[in-house]
Amino acid sequence: MNVSFILILLLFGAIATYFSGDKFAKTVALIFSLASAVVSFYIYNEFSNGEKFDFIHQWIANPNIFLALKVDGLAIGMLLLTTVLTTIIIYSSFGNVYNNSKSFYALVLFMSFAMVGTFLAADGFLYYIFWELALIPIYFIALIWGNGDVEERKRAIVKFFIFTLAGSLFMLAAFVYLFHKAGTLMLGDLYTIHLTEQEQIWIFLAFFLAYAIKIPIFPFHTWQANTYQKAPAVGTMLLSGIMLKMGLYSVIRWQLPLAPIAAKTYINILLVLSIIGVVYGSIVALRQRNLKKLLAYSSLAHVGLIAASTYTLSLDGLRGAVLQMIAHGFVVVGLFFAAEVIERRFKTQEIADMGGIRIQDSKFASMFMIVMLASVALPSTFNFIGEFTALYSLYNVNIWFAVIAGTTIILGAFYMLKMFQNVMLGETNVKVFESVTTQEAIVFIAIIAVIFLFGIYPKPINDLITPALQEIVTKINSINIE
């Protein structure tokens, strides 16, 4: 079996979900997403035993374009994140009723298909196609099934679409130039081409615009909070849990190895912008009265730290970034799902209208607290491993970068604990909070299990991703300049 099977499975699953009708759509989608997760674990297990899953087949002879998929530890890590979280996200939606659910769940699976393709693609043209395809389903998911006033939702979603599409056009221009230079867009060939320092700078900046918007990095973040708020819970979890990782992954896989001299030239600017995002996101989160917006700015702060870790250009930095990418994916999905559980009962996202939930449902309060503490990197949680490694890599560049970026822990603890106090504690709310269902509890238990499993024993992921990251760091340090 080659890795293309998982793409075929997800694409066929999206089609089957649509034709299964509204009654069975969510069940069919869950079956295919679960099957893709099982195949991902099979690939991980066989890869660990030495089997190769790379796939390459010529697609177009002139120009020279390949259907090429690369499977290394980094790609498998993102593959597992995508397929496992897609399964959890689909299952988490079972407490909601969606109009035209066959289209809704088909779009979710199609988005998963596109994101997996982005993480696996080893030809620049194929990578770009998957990158753009992932934007289409989330646009319709957020626009059609989103929250709040229709006109406000349209403005937020259209802004998101235009921002991300515009950034992608710069990346496309970079690929056109690279194809003109190398005659191919195969990743391995691009790693070996000779670029002058000026060429690297232009290539680097073109990629940076696409990735900085997608991640997002300050000041390219202005689309994020409103989009997260207006999107339905499933859309918000897909965006924050998986889609933003496309940008971070692409920095590691494409941007840094292709333009290392530019990265080293602008390292201080890149680190400063990323760290500003950490502080800015944390300060703005303190002032939020809407729960989903608070979590959106919290996510901005955390991905700022991940981006900073990535741009240290060190093995520790890349490793910390990938560990935190995976950890953040599960924790942020858990947080947004908690917000969705509350909204299902209280019909509001406003923190002022909440409170007193712990008295009515202590089990939910306990599960929410665990996910919240993981978000602030409590030791023994997965986030602690990633944040500690990221801060250590920043310390090796400049101690003040580590000190200032470390405010994400201090400020994060402050606004998250304050939020928990206002949302969960206090006197009994006049609104009745019905106890979490078995289905909701299973979602939380799955996320909490991952948080503690890899918080206590991160070795499997660390061993999986390190060889691939070491290879990339070697390429960053060895590419010749004309």
Side-chain angles (χ1 to χ4, degrees):
M1 182 186 75
N2 64 61
V3 74
S4 65
F5 177 76
I6 199 164
L7 290 171
I8 296 170
L9 181 65
L10 286 167
L11 182 59
F12 181 77
I15 297 170
T17 298
Y18 181 80
F19 285 104
S20 67
D22 291 336
K23 183 177 180 181
F24 300 105
K26 64 181 181 182
T27 303
V28 174
L30 180 64
I31 291 171
F32 276 97
S33 63
L34 184 60
S36 70
V38 171
V39 173
S40 298
F41 277 106
Y42 171 80
I43 291 173
Y44 162 69
N45 183 67
E46 294 303 306
F47 178 83
S48 300
N49 292 330
E51 186 170 340
K52 302 296 183 182
F53 288 91
D54 290 356
F55 174 78
I56 182 169
H57 181 77
Q58 188 164 41
W59 182 13
I60 304 172
N62 188 20
N64 199 23
I65 305 295
F66 291 87
L67 290 173
L69 305 174
K70 180 179 179 63
V71 181
D72 60 5
L74 176 58
I76 291 175
M78 304 315 297
L79 174 63
L80 288 168
L81 175 72
T82 304
T83 54
V84 172
L85 276 185
T86 299
T87 304
I88 291 174
I89 291 169
I90 289 175
Y91 186 61
S92 75
S93 72
F94 279 24
N96 297 331
V97 177
Y98 299 99
N99 295 324
N100 193 14
S101 61
K102 65 180 182 180
S103 297
F104 178 83
Y105 287 106
L107 286 170
V108 172
L109 279 182
F110 185 78
M111 184 175 176
S112 182
F113 157 79
M115 291 187 294
V116 167
T118 303
F119 293 132
L120 295 177
D123 181 279
F125 185 76
L126 182 65
Y127 161 80
Y128 182 79
I129 289 175
F130 280 125
W131 175 276
E132 292 292 77
L133 282 178
L135 182 60
I136 297 171
I138 192 60
Y139 172 79
F140 287 107
I141 289 170
L143 186 67
I144 298 173
W145 291 277
N147 305 307
D149 178 76
V150 175
E151 291 304 316
E152 291 182 1
R153 184 168 76 238
K154 285 181 179 178
R155 283 196 294 271
I157 305 309
V158 169
K159 181 180 181 179
F160 157 68
F161 185 85
I162 292 174
F163 266 50
T164 51
L165 182 62
S168 300
L169 293 177
F170 287 96
M171 180 171 66
L172 178 61
F175 275 129
V176 170
Y177 181 83
L178 289 170
F179 184 82
H180 173 74
K181 185 83 174 179
T184 177
L185 289 177
M186 284 292 291
L187 185 64
D189 295 330
L190 294 181
Y191 278 1
T192 61
I193 65 173
H194 299 279
L195 296 174
T196 66
E197 182 175 353
Q198 191 62 43
E199 286 175 323
Q200 287 197 32
I201 288 173
W202 286 115
I203 295 297
F204 185 90
L205 292 176
F207 279 117
F208 179 76
L209 285 172
Y211 301 153
I213 292 170
K214 184 80 76 176
I215 291 172
I217 295 174
F218 179 92
F220 303 95
H221 67 284
T222 55
W223 63 267
Q224 185 206 34
N226 285 336
T227 303
Y228 281 21
Q229 180 192 2
K230 298 302 181 183
V234 166
T236 306
M237 288 188 276
L238 287 168
L239 279 167
S240 60
I242 311 173
M243 192 173 191
L244 71 82
K245 310 305 187 299
M246 287 167 49
L248 292 163
Y249 165 88
S250 297
V251 170
I252 298 172
R253 178 71 81 193
W254 294 90
Q255 185 188 32
L256 298 183
L258 290 178
I261 302 304
K264 292 172 183 176
T265 301
Y266 295 114
I267 182 172
N268 287 329
I269 296 175
L270 296 167
L271 290 175
V272 168
L273 288 177
S274 300
I275 292 170
I276 287 175
V278 173
V279 179
Y280 173 82
S282 298
I283 292 174
V284 177
L286 284 168
R287 302 175 60 85
Q288 295 306 308
R289 296 182 174 89
N290 181 285
L291 181 55
K292 286 188 75 174
K293 273 197 168 182
L294 184 150
L295 297 177
Y297 283 109
S298 171
S299 178
L300 176 65
H302 285 289
V303 298
L305 178 60
I306 299 172
S309 181
T310 300
Y311 283 122
T312 62
L313 311 180
S314 64
L315 178 59
D316 286 328
L318 297 188
R319 184 161 45 209
V322 176
L323 288 169
Q324 186 65 351
M325 284 161 60
I326 299 171
H328 175 267
F330 283 94
V331 170
V332 78
V333 165
L335 289 171
F336 278 114
F337 181 60
E340 170 67 7
V341 169
I342 296 170
E343 189 174 357
R344 287 174 183 173
R345 289 151 174 82
F346 285 175
K347 308 301 180 186
T348 182
Q349 296 179 8
E350 297 302 312
I351 295 174
D353 296 331
M354 301 175 189
I357 295 175
R358 185 190 64 83
I359 297 174
Q360 300 187 59
D361 189 354
S362 60
K363 292 180 180 179
F364 171 67
S366 298
M367 291 186 290
F368 189 11
M369 182 179 69
I370 291 171
V371 179
M372 181 269 297
L373 291 174
S375 177
V376 299
L378 185 75
S380 79
T381 64
F382 197 0
N383 282 51
F384 174 76
I385 304 296
E387 289 201 6
F388 179 86
T389 310
L391 291 172
Y392 175 73
S393 70
L394 287 171
Y395 172 84
N396 288 331
V397 176
N398 187 309
I399 187 173
W400 288 108
F401 286 154
V403 169
I404 298 172
T407 58
T408 186
I409 298 175
I410 300 170
L411 293 175
F414 183 75
Y415 65 70
M416 292 300 283
L417 289 170
K418 181 182 176 182
M419 176 274 292
F420 185 82
Q421 179 182 1
N422 292 333
V423 171
M424 305 301 297
L425 306 182
E427 297 180 0
T428 305
N429 198 300
V430 292
K431 299 177 182 179
V432 176
F433 188 93
E434 298 176 358
S435 298
V436 290
T437 64
T438 301
Q439 175 262 336
E440 291 169 338
I442 290 173
V443 173
F444 281 116
I445 291 170
I447 291 171
I448 290 169
V450 172
I451 288 171
F452 282 119
L453 173 62
F454 295 113
I456 296 170
Y457 188 65
K459 188 176 184 296
I461 296 180
N462 194 57
D463 290 348
L464 174 67
I465 64 176
T466 297
L469 296 178
Q470 180 64 69
E471 182 180 346
I472 289 171
V473 169
T474 301
K475 284 182 169 61
I476 290 173
N477 293 325
S478 66
I479 293 180
N480 296 322
I481 314 169
E482 285 185 347

